[in-house]
Amino acid sequence: MTETTQTTTAPPGSDEPRSPEFRLAMGALQRLRQDLFHDAFAYRPLPPMRVVGPISRRLPERMRRYAVWTPHLAVGAAAFLVLLIAASGNDGSGSFGDLLTVVLSVSPVLLTLLRPVGAFWLSMAATPLIAMFGTEWSDWPWPAAAFAAHLVVLTVVAARTRPRIAAWMWALTAAYGLLVEILFGGGHYSSNSVPFLFVSALALLVVTVRQVRREAEQEVTAQQTVTAHERSKRTLLEERTTIARELHDVVAHHMSVVAIQAEAAPYRVENPPPELEKAFATIRENAVAALTELRRVLGVVRAEDYEAPDAPQPTLADLEGLLANVREAGLAVDKVVTGAVRELPQGVELSAYRIVQEALSNTLRHAPGATARVEIGYVLGGLGLRIVNGPAPAPTLVKSPHGAGHGITGMRERVSMLNGEMTADRTDDGGYEVTVFLPVPLAEEPA
């Protein structure tokens, strides 16, 4: 059996090692000093309330501007209630003691609006003074005014600070009640410390639970925001990877054609001059080198199980096949083409096809049973797309859970890659509309 001895290193200047219990007690005192003594009377005004609740949103604009001061109004109402309790407990003679009792009862409650921790200490100091100058002898050591005032102060300060401060305040309040009963309890038949501690513990528990729940909701909301941002970023990177793969296939195909034609061109001319043969050989070498570099650079975005498609990448000429597939899936879709149909650069054709494909897929997922319309406009300087769908005819239909919900992100990425413009928003009838313009420089358009 091996015996392990744990030693505690003594701090510099001490003769004996400090035990874990001592360090725990010193840590507790340090936290107490930090929470209730350090800058106890610092100026911390109660900020206006944020009007974000389900009830406050329905208020008129004028009432909503005043609704932000609801916490201040609640504290003021509590102070007025304490004032009534303090006034009712006096003998009505209007003496200095009566006035002092009222002031000492109301002041800590109002101070919670500006200096919450200082209001607690003021209430603790005012309690024995209220008991000394007051005329009540049945409620001890918490006269009715002190009972109500300190309970309100504990609740408000706990709501404005951390749960640990609420525990410290309750512990100091309990210590005060116990000390007063031990030192001055001989001349009193009963004490209301236990009822006060019980009621204040319930109030602080409710406030603390509400605070913990609110902090948890804020943390969950923040985490959901971060998760949604990360998911959107991951979807964007995946879409960029897909675009890079497709462009790799498109450019690789064209570079291969250039290399083959450059190699075969000299044989199509009888007795070509050496300069021409050398020029075509240079073209072929550059095309092969560019193709090699392209595969080397863009090959890193391919997954290990990715296989280049056997067929060429789709273009707008293949749109009828896509529409036939979505019609078989239950989507009634029409296609309208305006302008002079012409062949566009393959990158533009591929992006346009993918945008239409994603827009129709979103319609199938989010508006099952709706009708859709695809409009393609060949205009001077570019290509216009408009994909619009109506609302789902049966809201009870179950929407498809497939898809990451970021199809719009992929479409925007394709449009941004081609320096185009895109809008996507709901229509007045409850449907959805995607409008895209992909510019095509005139110099790049085939003759």
Side-chain angles (χ1 to χ4, degrees):
M1 177 181 294
T2 302
E3 182 179 358
T4 303
T5 305
Q6 223 176 10
T7 60
T8 305
T9 304
S14 62
D15 297 333
E16 298 180 358
R18 295 181 176 179
S19 63
E21 292 80 5
F22 178 81
R23 293 200 305 270
L24 183 63
M26 292 301 296
L29 291 177
Q30 180 67 24
R31 288 190 294 271
L32 174 62
R33 177 180 176 276
Q34 182 68 26
D35 292 337
L36 291 182
F37 290 93
H38 182 69
D39 290 338
F41 285 87
Y43 182 67
R44 300 185 183 96
L46 179 64
M49 183 181 64
R50 294 179 58 190
V51 185
V52 294
I55 299 178
S56 56
R57 289 198 193 101
R58 298 193 176 107
L59 295 176
E61 184 65 26
R62 179 176 298 179
M63 295 183 62
R64 197 181 307 169
R65 286 184 297 180
Y66 296 106
V68 298
W69 304 106
T70 302
H72 303 74
L73 181 62
V75 174
F80 181 72
L81 179 61
V82 171
L83 174 64
L84 295 180
I85 295 175
S88 64
N90 295 331
D91 55 8
S93 61
S95 61
F96 175 76
D98 294 344
L99 179 61
L100 185 62
T101 300
V102 173
V103 173
L104 291 177
S105 301
V106 177
S107 297
V109 178
L110 296 178
L111 191 61
T112 57
L113 296 173
L114 303 177
R115 308 177 191 275
V117 179
F120 165 74
W121 288 115
L122 180 60
S123 179
M124 289 289 294
T127 298
L129 295 177
I130 295 174
M132 183 185 305
F133 289 96
T135 58
E136 299 180 42
W137 296 97
S138 59
D139 297 327
W140 186 88
W142 301 93
F147 192 106
H150 198 63
L151 181 62
V152 172
V153 169
L154 288 179
T155 305
V156 176
V157 176
R160 295 199 55 195
T161 55
R162 300 190 300 271
R164 191 174 70 189
I165 294 181
W168 285 125
M169 291 191 301
W170 189 89
L172 290 177
T173 301
Y176 165 79
L178 180 62
L179 181 64
V180 169
E181 288 188 8
I182 293 176
L183 297 180
F184 308 103
H188 297 272
Y189 294 102
S190 63
S191 169
N192 60 354
S193 290
V194 174
F196 178 81
L197 293 177
F198 178 75
V199 174
S200 60
L202 287 181
L204 294 180
L205 179 62
V206 172
V207 172
T208 302
V209 169
R210 183 176 178 273
Q211 273 190 320
V212 171
R213 179 179 178 183
R214 183 174 56 189
E215 292 176 359
E217 290 177 351
Q218 292 176 351
E219 184 176 353
V220 169
T221 302
Q223 188 63 35
Q224 288 177 346
T225 303
V226 173
T227 303
H229 178 70
E230 293 296 331
R231 186 185 297 115
S232 178
K233 184 186 296 185
R234 185 175 64 250
T235 304
L236 184 61
L237 294 177
E238 292 175 353
E239 187 63 28
R240 287 181 178 177
T241 302
T242 303
I243 295 173
R245 291 172 180 171
E246 294 175 347
L247 289 180
H248 173 271
D249 298 333
V250 171
V251 177
H253 169 72
H254 287 292
M255 295 300 294
S256 300
V257 172
V258 170
I260 293 173
Q261 290 181 346
E263 184 177 9
Y267 298 101
R268 298 184 179 181
V269 181
E270 185 176 355
N271 298 323
E275 294 82 1
L276 183 62
E277 291 183 352
K278 184 177 180 181
F280 278 117
T282 302
I283 293 174
R284 181 182 181 279
E285 291 175 1
N286 289 333
V288 172
L291 184 60
T292 302
E293 292 298 326
L294 179 67
R295 287 173 176 168
R296 182 180 302 153
V297 174
L298 295 183
V300 297
V301 302
R302 294 188 184 275
E304 295 181 357
D305 57 347
Y306 176 80
E307 296 181 0
D310 297 332
Q313 294 289 352
T315 63
L316 290 176
D318 304 310
L319 204 55
E320 286 297 335
L322 173 64
L323 299 181
N325 289 336
V326 296
R327 289 189 184 107
E328 292 179 358
L331 178 64
V333 56
D334 297 328
K335 184 183 78 167
V336 177
V337 180
T338 58
V341 179
R342 62 189 185 279
E343 184 180 355
L344 301 175
Q346 191 166 0
V348 176
E349 296 256 356
L350 174 60
S351 295
Y353 179 91
R354 295 301 188 197
I355 290 171
V356 174
Q357 183 182 38
E358 185 60 41
L360 295 178
S361 298
N362 286 343
T363 302
L364 285 172
R365 283 194 295 264
H366 303 293
T371 59
R373 178 184 178 90
V374 178
E375 299 178 3
I376 304 173
Y378 291 85
V379 296
L380 185 63
L383 176 71
L385 298 174
R386 180 174 179 266
I387 305 96
V388 59
N389 63 268
T396 56
L397 289 178
V398 178
K399 299 180 181 180
S400 173
H402 301 291
H406 293 281
I408 299 296
T409 303
M411 287 189 275
R412 291 191 187 279
E413 185 67 14
R414 292 181 180 273
V415 173
S416 176
M417 178 189 66
L418 297 173
N419 295 323
E421 299 177 358
M422 171 180 166
T423 59
D425 202 356
R426 293 192 176 277
T427 58
D428 295 336
D429 60 353
Y432 206 83
E433 178 181 2
V434 176
T435 306
V436 174
F437 177 75
L438 302 178
V440 179
L442 297 177
E444 297 184 10
E445 295 182 7

